[in-house]
Amino acid sequence: MAIIDIDVPDRNDPSKTVKLKRYGVEKDIEPTAVLFGKYSPFTGPKGHGRMVEFAKKNGFKKIAVVSPSRDKIKSNDKYDANIFSPEDRLDIVKKASKDFGMKTDGIFSVKATNPLGMFREISAKIDRPVIIVGPDREKDFAKFFIPFAKDNETITDTKDKAFGKGEMMAIKSRGDGETSGTKVRKALVDGDKEEFLKLTGYKPDMWKLMRSKLKLTESVSYLKYIKENCKWNFKNY
């Protein structure tokens, strides 16, 4: 991947050209499937893991998971997505990748919270990033990215109107029983271990990890947490 200078017509004087920086890549470079989202939390084999399987089925050998490092203002909703810090979200993805055998070529954060800003940041780390998006986000991403093709002429032809845009691939259907982050957060906050395991397909150690990372003072009953993590008996309280 490279950021290259190309000549484009000057808007103020069409007889002249100006140099602009654009994203360019060699077609034979191995693409990397990029999963971009907040992942609060990464919902496992029955949720976000389906994006990983989609990438594998479409021939991607390299996969990266990218999450914004900045949080939006937290709401008063106890199931709000910001019950995990950006650092904890990455820790969860790293543990989850091992828990259900997801091999990645990078799990990292970016400062940007929007697709274009994210793409500019990861382009310095990933040679040919291809953004994997769900059906609900396809329309928005299509404004800034072009459909992925192994031999995509657009990414090498500087005269193409779409030259400089990144590539994307959209999942057409998430299938039955899609797991939402909101439902997983609710199970975590409410202390419903059985529901959490059912929704995600994770092993019990992921439950323990995520419960330990919740922002307890804002989101979780302190007494519930003590009951789960202390050895003495609470039957008489």
Side-chain angles (χ1 to χ4, degrees), residues 53-78:
E53 293 306 313
F54 173 81
K56 290 180 178 178
K57 288 180 180 179
N58 281 276
F60 288 91
K61 298 178 180 178
K62 298 192 292 183
I63 298 172
V65 181
V66 181
S67 181
S69 61
R70 292 182 294 174
D71 278 330
K72 294 180 180 179
I73 297 174
K74 188 182 185 301
S75 73
N76 292 323
D77 182 359
K78 67 176 180 178

Side-chain angles (χ1 to χ4, degrees), residues 74-90:
K74 188 182 185 301
S75 73
N76 292 323
D77 182 359
K78 67 176 180 178
Y79 306 126
D80 183 76
N82 288 324
I83 59 175
F84 295 106
S85 70
E87 296 77 19
D88 285 341
R89 292 199 297 267
L90 288 184

Side-chain angles (χ1 to χ4, degrees), residues 1-3 23 116-129 166:
M1 192 285 302
I3 302 297
Y23 162 78
L116 277 181
M118 171 273 296
F119 182 75
R120 293 190 185 100
E121 285 190 59
I122 66 172
S123 294
K125 300 179 180 180
I126 300 173
D127 288 333
R128 187 180 175 183

Side-chain angles (χ1 to χ4, degrees), residues 209-226:
L209 173 68
M210 291 194 205
R211 284 284 293 176
S212 71
K213 290 184 177 296
L214 288 174
K215 294 179 181 178
L216 300 175
T217 56
E218 299 176 359
S219 306
V220 183
S221 163
Y222 185 67
L223 183 57
K224 275 188 178 181
Y225 181 77
I226 293 296

Side-chain angles (χ1 to χ4, degrees), residues 13 17 52 112 130 192 211 214:
D13 186 350
T17 60
V52 176
V130 178
D192 193 339
R211 284 284 293 176
L214 288 174

Side-chain angles (χ1 to χ4, degrees), residues 19-38:
K19 290 189 178 296
L20 292 179
K21 294 187 181 298
R22 288 290 186 269
Y23 162 78
V25 66
E26 296 293 335
K27 285 190 298 183
D28 57 355
I29 291 180
E30 185 72 30
T32 297
V34 175
L35 280 59
F36 173 62
K38 193 161 189 174

Side-chain angles (χ1 to χ4, degrees), residues 97 163 229:
S97 66
F163 178 78
N229 292 274

Side-chain angles (χ1 to χ4, degrees), residues 41-42 44 83-84 92 95-96 99 183-214 216 220-221 224-225 227-229:
F42 196 83
I83 59 175
F84 295 106
I92 290 170
K95 178 65 173 66
D99 196 56
K183 289 181 179 179
V184 173
R185 290 193 299 273
K186 186 177 187 303
L188 284 163
V189 172
D190 292 346
D192 193 339
K193 181 178 180 180
E194 183 178 347
E195 179 68 5
F196 169 84
L197 297 177
K198 178 182 176 182
L199 286 169
T200 62
Y202 277 134
K203 298 175 183 177
D205 58 343
M206 286 300 295
W207 162 263
K208 186 175 181 180
L209 173 68
M210 291 194 205
R211 284 284 293 176
S212 71
K213 290 184 177 296
L214 288 174
L216 300 175
V220 183
S221 163
K224 275 188 178 181
Y225 181 77
K227 286 182 178 180
E228 289 181 3
N229 292 274

